[in-house]
Amino acid sequence: MAISIICKFPLPSHTCSIFLKISFPGGSDFNAPIRRNNKCLFRFSRICVVSSHTNQKILKPNRKSRFGHPISPYDSDEDDDVLTSDEVMGSSRVNSLRQKCKDESLDVKVSGQDQQRLKFQNATHIGRDSHHHSERGSKAKLGHRRPTPEITQDCREKEASGSLAKDRFSHLAEELDLDERWFPLLDYLSTFGFKDSHFVQMYERHMPSLQINKTSAQERLEFLLSVGVKHKDIRKIILRQPQLLEYTVENNLKSHVTYLASLGIPDSRIGQIITATPSLFSYSVENSLKPTVTYLLEEVGIEKNDLAKVVQLSPQILVQRIDTSWTARFNFLTRELGAPRDNIVKMVRKHPQLLHYSIEDGLLPRINFLRSIGMRNSEIVKVLTSITQVFSLSLEENLKPKYMYLVNELGNEVRSLTKYPTYLSLSLDQRIRPRHMFLVSLKRAPKGPFPLSSFVPTDESFCQQWARTSLDKYLDFRQRLLLKELARKYERR
C-alpha cells in the first residue's frame, strides 16, 4: 500500500512544495505498519521538492564535506567525494598558515610542494567562484573573489622567531608558571637588556606587568624614548616601576609629561626626571602632583621661578609627603641651630634633597661634626646655607679627611671655612691636594696659611693667576700625582 502527500510551505522569497510517497510494505493494511523491536517503521520511497525559486536545484542546507568544512547548500556537478585542496593539504596546516599570513598581512611566493598544493587550491576556488558569478550577475566580479594568501619567507621567519622565543623562555615558563602568550613581551624587553633574572624580579614584584600585550608595551616605551628617556635606562625604569608597562599613553603618560613641562622644565630634562622618578606616573596629576607643588609654593616659600630648578635637582620631591618632611626638618633646624626660616628655605632651594635625609642618621651627625671642630651654631648655619650639600657628604671619607688636610697641610684654622665654605664641597684628590702640591713644586706657594681662594677658580684660571704656567703642565702633574696616590692605596690593601 502507498500514500502520496503534497505539502506547500511559503518561504520569504518563494513557495516550496514537497511531494512524499509513503509505502507500507508487508500488506495493504494502512493500520499495519512494520513493527520491529517495539518500533514503528514507515518507508518513504520518494521525496521531491517543487520550488518557485529561480534556482530549481535541490536545497541541502548545512552541507559539510567529509572533513567537516561547510560547503554550498546547492547541488553541484562536482563529485562530493573529490577532496578540496584544503583537505589534500591537511586542514590544520592550511588554516595555520593562512592565519599566520593573515595576521601579518603578508603577500608571498611559494615554492616546492606547497606551491603545487596551492595551485590546486586556487583552481578549486576559481571554479566555485565562476559558478556563483554566473548566478549572481553583475555583482560577481573577479575582484570580489576571496584572495588566497601565500606563504612568504617573512612569514616563516616570524614563525621561526616565535619558536626561538618559546625555546628560550620555556625553562622560565616552567619556573614561574608563565603563559606562552607572554613570550612576545619577554622577547621585546630583551632588546633593552633584560635577562631571565630581571623577569623573575618583575614577576615577584608585580606579576601583571608581564601580562601586557607586546604592541601596547612597545607603544608606551617608544613614547618614553620620544620624550628623552635613554634606551639604556629603560631597563632600570621598568625594574623600579614595572607597573609603568600598564600605564596608557593617552590617559597617563602624556598628561604627566605635559604637567612637567608646565612647571617650566625644559624638554631636554624631562627624560632625566622620568628616569630618576618613574613612580611619578603612579600619582594623580590633579590629586597628588598639583597639591604638592602648591604646598612648595605657598607653605615652604619656594619662588615660582625657582620651582623648575628644585624639581630638576630632586624629582622625588613631587612624590613624597612634602608637608610631613618639610615640617619635621624645619622644626629640627630651628630648634637645633636656631636657623631662621629664610635660611632654611634657601637650603631647600639649593639642595632639596635635604627633605629626604634622615634627621637622626643624616642631619644631626654632620651638625655635631662641625661643632666638634670648633664651629658655633651661627657659623654652622652660615656654612649650611651656602653649601647645603654638606649634608650629603660622608663623614669618614670626605669631611674628616678634608678638615685634617686643612689644618695639617694647609696650615689653616677652622674659621677660614666660614669665609670659604666651598672648600668642603671640593674634591680632595682631584682639586685640593693637586693644586696645593703643584704650587709647592713650583715654589710659588705663599708663606703662612695656604689661601683657600686658590681652590675656587677653574683649572685654566688657576694656572694663569696662581701657577703662571700652562694648563697642560698642571694636568700632567695632577695625573702623575693621582697615579702615585692610587699605587699607595693599593699597597695599603
Side-chain angles (χ1 to χ4, degrees), residues 103-169:
D103 291 343
E104 302 297 337
S105 300
L106 300 173
D107 292 326
V108 227
K109 294 181 180 178
V110 243
S111 59
Q113 187 177 6
D114 288 339
Q115 186 177 19
Q116 297 298 324
R117 291 170 175 167
L118 288 173
K119 283 182 179 179
F120 182 76
Q121 182 185 24
N122 291 339
T124 303
H125 284 299
I126 291 174
R128 290 180 178 174
D129 290 338
S130 299
H131 174 72
H132 291 300
H133 292 163
S134 63
E135 294 180 350
R136 296 176 183 176
S138 60
K139 292 184 179 180
K141 296 182 180 179
L142 186 60
H144 293 168
R145 187 173 68 245
R146 181 180 63 182
T148 303
E150 301 174 345
I151 308 168
T152 63
Q153 184 63 28
D154 290 340
C155 182
R156 290 172 179 170
E157 289 177 358
K158 288 186 178 293
E159 185 176 3
S161 176
S163 178
L164 290 174
K166 183 176 180 180
D167 293 341
R168 175 183 173 185
F169 301 117

Side-chain angles (χ1 to χ4, degrees), residues 172 176 193-204 239:
L172 192 63
L176 301 180
F194 281 81
K195 301 183 183 301
D196 288 359
S197 59
H198 299 136
F199 295 133
V200 172
Q201 182 178 340
M202 291 176 63
Y203 183 91
E204 293 175 346
L239 290 178

Side-chain angles (χ1 to χ4, degrees), residues 320-362:
Q320 70 176 132
R321 286 293 304 275
I322 189 64
D323 53 345
T324 302
S325 60
W326 160 254
T327 301
R329 285 149 187 81
F330 173 78
N331 291 338
F332 168 76
L333 293 173
T334 301
R335 180 182 66 253
E336 192 72 19
L337 296 174
R341 181 185 180 90
D342 289 344
N343 289 72
I344 300 175
V345 172
K346 287 179 181 179
M347 293 180 193
V348 173
R349 185 174 68 246
K350 290 184 176 183
H351 194 71
Q353 295 89 336
L354 167 68
L355 298 178
H356 312 317
Y357 297 150
S358 166
I359 293 176
E360 297 298 326
D361 299 328

Side-chain angles (χ1 to χ4, degrees), residues 3 14 21 30 100 127 145 164-165 203 279 326 350 370 399-400 445 481:
I3 298 177
H14 61 283
K21 183 176 181 181
F30 178 78
K100 286 182 178 296
R145 187 173 68 245
L164 290 174
Y203 183 91
S279 61
W326 160 254
K350 290 184 176 183
L370 295 177
L399 293 178
K400 289 183 178 180
L481 183 65

Side-chain angles (χ1 to χ4, degrees), residues 274-292:
I274 294 174
T275 302
T277 314
S279 61
L280 70 88
F281 290 110
S282 64
Y283 291 83
S284 167
V285 172
E286 297 296 329
N287 299 327
S288 183
L289 301 187
K290 285 186 177 181
T292 296

